[in-house]
Amino acid sequence: MSLLFVTWDGQATNYLEGLFFPVLGRLSRPAHVLQFTTADERSIERIGRAAESFGVGYRPVPVRGGRAAARAGRALLESRTSLRRAVREVDASVVMPRSMIPAGMVLAHLPRHIPVAFEADGLMQDERVDFGVWRANSARYWAARSVEVRTLWRARVVLTRTERAKSILCARAGAGFPRERVFVVPNGKDEDQFCPLGAGEREATREELGIAPTAFALVYVGSIGPQYLPEAMFRLFARLKRARTDAKFLVLTHAVEEARALAEKAGIEPADLVLRPAGASEVPRFLGAADAGVALRKNSFSQAAVCPIKVAEYLLCGLPVVATRGVGDLDRQLDDRSAAFLLEDLGDASLDSAVDWLSVACGAASRKLGERMFGLRSAIAGYERALAHAVE
């Protein structure tokens, strides 16, 4: 008896490889992924190889042609055959839809006797409103909200990333909804993969990156989108540079030109910026060569459900982290002031306080905090508890 994880994804996603495959591949039951996707053949092949390396079954269902909304609608309508065939062929004892479109597929096409574990990973429709993609009073927003509530009641268990998301979902489900049905499982990363480097490897990696052994290296990893407050991030480094003239900013992103333009706007010299479009396998080593990480995020309503994975990666690599207050459960999770600094706002005074803190932050405390809050073993245990409840 196995788990069938159902997801809908666009072209440029790699969260399966980075977040879910490491968990699914270590569960006590076989796991399979049914992915409806608009990705091209090369991306699908890459995901398939990653799934195989983790011991996870992978079934892609390509969805081609038309605008994004039309493709999603068509996938929802036409998913009956693919979903039911996958359930039958993998002998699924529980089906786990991730977010709204797969949840809609399950509501429409899955027989009610099959247990459902709803992976409510974020507040998808609210994020689209927060970032101007949808209107709060639009039909599509309220359709997604309807799917959300109906799936909460249909599912035997619900998984969220944060306690704040649990409170929101329980309130939306309405009176009588059993809170014990909702399991909070923060994102986790492999403690053995994301870890501090030994002295020799750290020195060699810094030399590869062009960072002097004694320089202070701030690092950012991820995309350059407005939700990550990139202007404030580069302002932070500019102020760090005034305090530490040897400072370097290592930015690991595929949005290289966007990062370069923002750095120039912030008055950062090209020589102080190290830009790398690093692959997933390179990220742990490059993080281990840095001294601290930055993980800013706009603290809008939808971000209450977010567990920023870069925070986990930084801490596990022994990097003190500068983050934003009001995002997910970070205010509670980052409870060691020697390992994490939460910005109250993005004003110059707050950024200067963060710069001052970086001089006294502790890498050993950061690793301990990362293991306690964001380790992969803890995430796997959380999924096991939820799934055991789903098939009781």
Side-chain angles (χ1 to χ4, degrees):
M1 304 289 278
S2 63
L3 167 68
L4 180 65
F5 183 96
V6 185
T7 183
W8 157 264
D9 299 304
Q11 173 67 33
T13 57
N14 59 6
Y15 74 93
L16 281 174
E17 301 100 304
L19 284 178
F20 287 105
F21 286 164
V23 173
L24 298 176
R26 291 174 172 84
L27 294 177
S28 59
R29 69 191 68 226
H32 302 263
V33 171
L34 177 65
Q35 184 187 37
F36 296 86
T37 178
T38 64
D40 58 30
E41 291 184 8
R42 176 178 293 184
S43 297
I44 289 173
E45 290 173 0
R46 185 200 75 233
I47 297 169
R49 289 193 297 271
E52 184 177 6
S53 71
F54 284 102
V56 175
Y58 178 60
R59 293 165 173 256
V61 181
V63 182
R64 309 290 189 211
R67 300 176 63 180
R71 291 196 297 268
R74 188 166 64 252
L76 181 60
L77 291 171
E78 298 176 357
S79 59
R80 176 186 176 96
T81 300
S82 298
L83 178 60
R84 291 195 171 195
R85 179 188 296 124
V87 168
R88 182 176 64 255
E89 292 181 352
V90 307
D91 192 22
S93 57
V94 60
V95 175
M96 181 179 286
R98 177 185 179 265
S99 198
M100 293 302 103
I101 295 175
M105 295 175 181
V106 164
L107 288 174
H109 305 311
L110 194 69
R112 289 198 61 84
H113 70 274
I114 298 176
V116 170
F118 180 29
E119 175 56 86
D121 187 12
L123 300 169
M124 179 272 283
Q125 65 276 6
D126 299 286
E127 186 166 311
R128 280 163 168 71
V129 170
D130 282 346
F131 296 103
V133 180
W134 290 0
R135 297 189 310 276
N137 60 352
S138 66
R140 65 176 64 179
Y141 173 80
W142 287 104
R145 282 284 299 270
S146 174
V147 168
E148 180 181 72
V149 170
R150 290 163 58 206
T151 309
L152 291 173
W153 283 99
R154 166 71 171 85
R156 293 191 181 180
V157 297
V158 178
L159 293 92
T160 73
R161 301 285 83 84
T162 71
E163 292 287 348
R164 294 175 69 195
K166 176 176 179 175
S167 295
I168 291 169
L169 292 175
C170 289
R172 286 180 170 178
F177 182 78
R179 289 183 61 90
E180 65 274 12
R181 185 178 297 181
V182 184
F183 290 74
V184 177
V185 185
N187 287 326
K189 298 295 288 191
D190 190 338
E191 304 93 328
D192 298 326
Q193 180 185 19
F194 288 86
C195 58
L197 297 181
E201 187 177 6
R202 175 178 164 86
E203 182 178 347
T205 303
R206 287 172 76 97
E207 182 178 0
E208 176 186 343
L209 293 168
I211 300 173
T214 58
F216 188 93
L218 183 69
V219 67
Y220 172 79
V221 59
S223 59
I224 306 292
Q227 67 268 41
Y228 304 117
L229 304 172
E231 293 87 355
M233 175 177 74
F234 285 105
R235 283 174 50 225
L236 171 66
F237 176 75
R239 304 185 87 79
L240 172 63
K241 183 67 179 179
R242 296 177 193 173
R244 289 286 304 261
T245 57
D246 64 345
K248 298 284 187 181
F249 196 5
L250 173 60
V251 180
L252 305 175
T253 182
H254 290 283
V256 170
E257 294 308 316
E258 295 174 58
R260 183 175 288 114
L262 287 165
E264 183 179 357
K265 184 178 179 180
I268 298 170
E269 296 293 332
D272 297 324
L273 192 65
V274 181
L275 286 171
R276 284 293 184 99
S281 62
E282 297 176 295
V283 168
R285 183 168 61 88
F286 288 160
L287 291 183
D291 296 292
V294 58
L296 308 187
R297 197 165 187 132
K298 186 177 181 181
N299 58 354
S300 58
F301 174 79
S302 64
Q303 303 308 287
V306 168
C307 180
I309 195 60
K310 57 175 63 69
V311 171
E313 294 175 347
Y314 295 156
L315 292 174
L316 288 170
C317 286
L319 305 184
V321 60
V322 177
T324 316
R325 190 171 294 282
V327 173
D329 289 339
L330 291 185
D331 292 11
R332 174 183 58 82
Q333 292 167 324
L334 302 186
D335 57 3
D336 187 339
R337 183 61 188 269
S338 63
F341 184 95
L342 291 169
L343 288 170
E344 296 286 352
D345 56 60
L346 303 179
D348 291 344
S350 292
L351 297 181
D352 286 338
S353 294
V355 169
D356 293 340
W357 172 81
L358 285 169
S359 65
V360 298
C362 177
S366 302
R367 171 68 182 186
K368 289 181 181 179
L369 180 60
E371 290 177 321
R372 175 160 58 91
M373 290 294 178
F374 304 111
L376 181 61
R377 286 184 281 273
S378 177
I380 294 168
Y383 273 79
E384 292 282 20
R385 287 193 297 271
L387 290 170
H389 189 81
V391 297
E392 285 180 350

